[in-house]
Amino acid sequence: MFYRPADGHGLPHNPFNALVSPRPIGWISTRGADGSENLAPYSFFNAVAYVPPQVMFATTGSKPDREGGKDSLANIRETGVFCVNVVSKALFLAMNTSSGPWPKEVDEFRLAGLERTDCETIACSRVLEAPAGLECRVTQIVPLAGRDNTMVIGEVTGIHLRDDCLVEGRFAYERFTPVGRLGYRDYAYVDDPFELARPGED
């Protein structure tokens, strides 16, 4: 099969959703200038550089009560900061709860039954139970082609690692079981990691 996206695919579901998988989930917490808080997952997310450490996520679409984007983007435009919370198997259902199209006044931390705590380097809350949290200051907000498509790039200014997820100096996936987005309504647990050295590495 071959198709040009501009012409449509003719399938009951958009295959593009499933082609780049598994994708890590950026569970983004933000705080607005008025102190209101938001928590929402984004599967267009990744780390993009080591030094300084940087991450990106992209938001697509808009909400009836937010012109030109979603709550996360609106808060980030106001404050310039956000936190990425790593999603574990234990937090998967809470993450899904926070993904709903809730009105901007809804606090997803409370809705999903999550405990919050303050970040150290930015004025924002993070998910206390998360295996890791990446505190970020925005470096770029990039409009993308299409309606209400926006990429946010942030420099990581602080990193929280849950103590029980550190084993012999390594961040241990098996201690929390990462969750990835496959596409459609499909997800996967990363529960069988393996090690592979690159050519020339010791």
Side-chain angles (χ1 to χ4, degrees), residues 96-111:
N96 190 53
T97 297
S98 72
S99 72
W102 311 117
K104 60 185 178 182
E105 62 271 12
V106 169
D107 182 340
E108 287 84 2
F109 282 92
R110 184 175 292 110
L111 184 70

Side-chain angles (χ1 to χ4, degrees), residues 77-158:
R77 289 189 189 281
E78 292 176 359
T79 65
V81 301
F82 63 95
C83 183
V84 179
N85 303 275
V86 170
V87 180
S88 65
K89 183 177 183 179
L91 294 171
F92 175 64
L93 292 179
M95 178 277 295
N96 190 53
T97 297
S98 72
S99 72
W102 311 117
K104 60 185 178 182
E105 62 271 12
V106 169
D107 182 340
E108 287 84 2
F109 282 92
R110 184 175 292 110
L111 184 70
L114 294 164
E115 188 172 352
R116 80 190 84 212
T117 189
D118 286 335
C119 291
E120 296 288 335
T121 66
I122 60 173
C124 184
S125 291
R126 63 184 179 89
V127 177
L128 180 62
E129 305 98 314
L134 309 177
E135 301 180 5
C136 302
R137 291 192 180 277
V138 174
T139 57
Q140 296 181 65
I141 298 177
V142 183
L144 302 176
R147 183 176 179 181
D148 296 329
N149 295 329
T150 305
M151 178 173 62
V152 177
I153 303 174
E155 179 178 340
V156 180
T157 58

Side-chain angles (χ1 to χ4, degrees), residues 83-86 120 126-135 156 158-167 169-173 175-176:
C83 183
V84 179
N85 303 275
V86 170
E120 296 288 335
R126 63 184 179 89
V127 177
L128 180 62
E129 305 98 314
L134 309 177
E135 301 180 5
V156 180
I159 298 177
H160 299 268
L161 302 175
R162 214 172 66 200
D163 289 344
D164 66 303
C165 295
L166 287 172
V167 177
R170 298 185 66 175
F171 190 57
Y173 319 110
R175 287 295 179 93
F176 66 92

